[in-house]
């Protein structure tokens, strides 16, 4: 299945989510390839850190759009595509072949507005095809951890009003470990197993891939 992780706003967590999902799938023995179609190449960089540090499982990341089409014909597992607004054409192309589009939305009104505009872009990318229209899944990323702060609930409510998009109830909360783990080439659940971020991410990924079971092996730095 091809899952494209996209939206129009920068910094909403696309690359962070793509990276952690990639490792989550790999640790469950699920063959996965990642496509980094953003000129910033965040996924390529983090995969390179893993390689240099000898962290297993390695992450297979491509940045070549041409090979995306080639891979689709034989890749037996999951494909994750990270696209940024820096390349709208790549974004549309990826959405055009996606089985589903995952949309991380930080808790703010401008992010809801941007998501609304993003839906118009999806319409453009998909055109009049109704049968092969990708499933659209939004979720709140960087949700407030304090229950008295209402923005995450309000954002979720506003997203539910948008047509044609499903809102996942599983949120990812604002946790410093996302930034720290990625700088070390690690997923949050690799850096700190049992952390809140790790269990939240597991619940989120399990909702996206309900048929995929428990992890097969722990991470190791090459010895
Ligand atoms: N749930 C989270 N909690 C805390 N920090 C987060 C979370 N998700 C992402 N971040 C941080 O937010 C910043 C932006 O994330 P990321 O680079 O994944 O966004 P992006 O959508 O790929 O950005 P761009 O549009 O520039 O490609 C990074 O510093 C990342 O560590
Ligand atoms: Mg990015």
């Amino acid at each position: 299945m091809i899952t494209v992780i996209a939206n129009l706003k920068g910094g909403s967590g696309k690359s962070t989510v793509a990276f952690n999902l990639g490792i989550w799938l790999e640790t469950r023995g699920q063959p996965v390839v990642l496509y980094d179609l953003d000129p910033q190449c965040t996924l390529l960089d983090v995969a390179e850190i893993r390689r240099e540090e000898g962290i297993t499982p390695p992450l297979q990341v491509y940045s070549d759009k041409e090979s995306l089409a080639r891979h689709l014909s034989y890749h037996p597992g999951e494909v994750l595509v990270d696209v940024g607004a820096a390349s709208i054409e790549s974004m549309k192309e990826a959405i055009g072949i996606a089985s589903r589009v995952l949309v991380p939305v930080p808790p703010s009104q401008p992010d809801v507005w941007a998501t609304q505009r993003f839906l118009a872009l999806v319409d453009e990318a998909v055109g009049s095809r109704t049968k092969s229209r990708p499933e659209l899944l939004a979720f709140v990323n960087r949700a407030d951890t304090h229950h008295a702060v209402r923005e995450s609930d309000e954002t979720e409510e506003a997203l539910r009003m948008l047509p044609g998009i499903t809102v996942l109830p599983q949120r990812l909360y604002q946790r410093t470990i996302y930034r720290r783990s990625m700088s070390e080439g690690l997923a949050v659940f690799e850096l700190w197993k049992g952390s809140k971020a790790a269990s939240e991410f597991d619940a989120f990924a399990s909702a996206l891939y309900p048929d995929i079971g428990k992890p097969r092996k722990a991470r190791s730095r090459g010895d």
Side-chain angles (χ1 to χ4, degrees):
M1 173 161 44
I2 305 171
T3 303
V4 170
I5 300 139
N7 69 10
L8 284 175
K9 266 210 157 215
S12 55
K14 298 177 291 291
S15 303
T16 302
V17 168
F19 169 66
N20 279 274
L21 270 181
I23 304 294
W24 190 89
L25 288 165
E26 280 289 351
T27 55
R28 280 158 178 75
Q30 191 67 27
V32 58
V33 292
L34 283 86
Y35 278 84
D36 192 339
L37 300 184
D38 187 332
Q40 290 180 92
C41 294
T42 309
L43 294 182
L44 277 179
D45 289 342
V46 71
E48 178 62 12
I49 294 179
R50 275 181 92 85
R51 198 190 57 74
E52 282 170 11
E53 296 289 324
I55 302 168
T56 59
L59 204 54
Q60 240 190 313
V61 183
Y62 297 86
S63 61
D64 169 16
K65 255 195 314 185
E66 304 311 313
S67 59
L68 177 58
R70 200 160 10 99
H71 262 119
L72 295 182
S73 49
Y74 72 89
H75 193 265
E78 294 298 331
V79 178
L80 296 173
V81 187
D82 178 15
V83 280
S87 178
I88 294 288
E89 279 320 302
S90 295
M91 192 184 273
K92 281 191 184 171
E93 268 181 57
I95 290 169
I97 54 158
S99 327
R100 61 184 180 179
V101 181
L102 188 57
V103 191
V105 186
S108 81
Q109 187 58 50
D111 283 284
V112 173
W113 289 328
T115 306
Q116 203 164 1
R117 291 197 180 278
F118 177 69
L119 295 185
L121 185 136
V122 171
D123 285 341
E124 273 176 45
V126 175
S128 55
R129 288 182 289 133
T130 44
K131 263 194 180 160
S132 55
R133 204 182 157 78
E135 183 185 17
L136 297 180
L137 297 169
F139 68 98
V140 174
N141 183 35
R142 313 190 75 161
D144 305 292
T145 49
H146 199 287
H147 61 85
V149 181
R150 302 286 307 143
E151 271 81 2
S152 297
D153 292 344
E154 287 166 7
T155 298
E156 228 172 66
E157 278 162 32
L159 289 173
R160 284 208 188 91
M161 312 281 282
L162 300 179
I165 192 159
T166 302
V167 183
L168 291 176
Q170 291 81 8
R171 297 175 183 169
L172 297 181
Y173 286 83
Q174 172 71 30
R175 309 270 180 211
T176 324
I177 190 177
Y178 280 99
R179 202 168 42 212
R180 190 150 44 90
S181 59
M182 198 135 159
S183 66
E184 292 187 30
L186 295 170
V188 284
F189 45 87
E190 291 177 309
L191 182 62
W192 188 0
K193 217 176 159 188
S195 62
K196 284 181 183 166
S199 55
E200 287 156 9
F201 194 85
D202 189 50
F204 167 77
S206 301
L208 287 176
Y209 298 97
D211 299 333
I212 292 175
K214 295 273 174 238
R216 288 216 311 216
K217 55 185 173 185
R219 85 166 157 111
S220 63
R221 285 181 195 260
D223 44 354

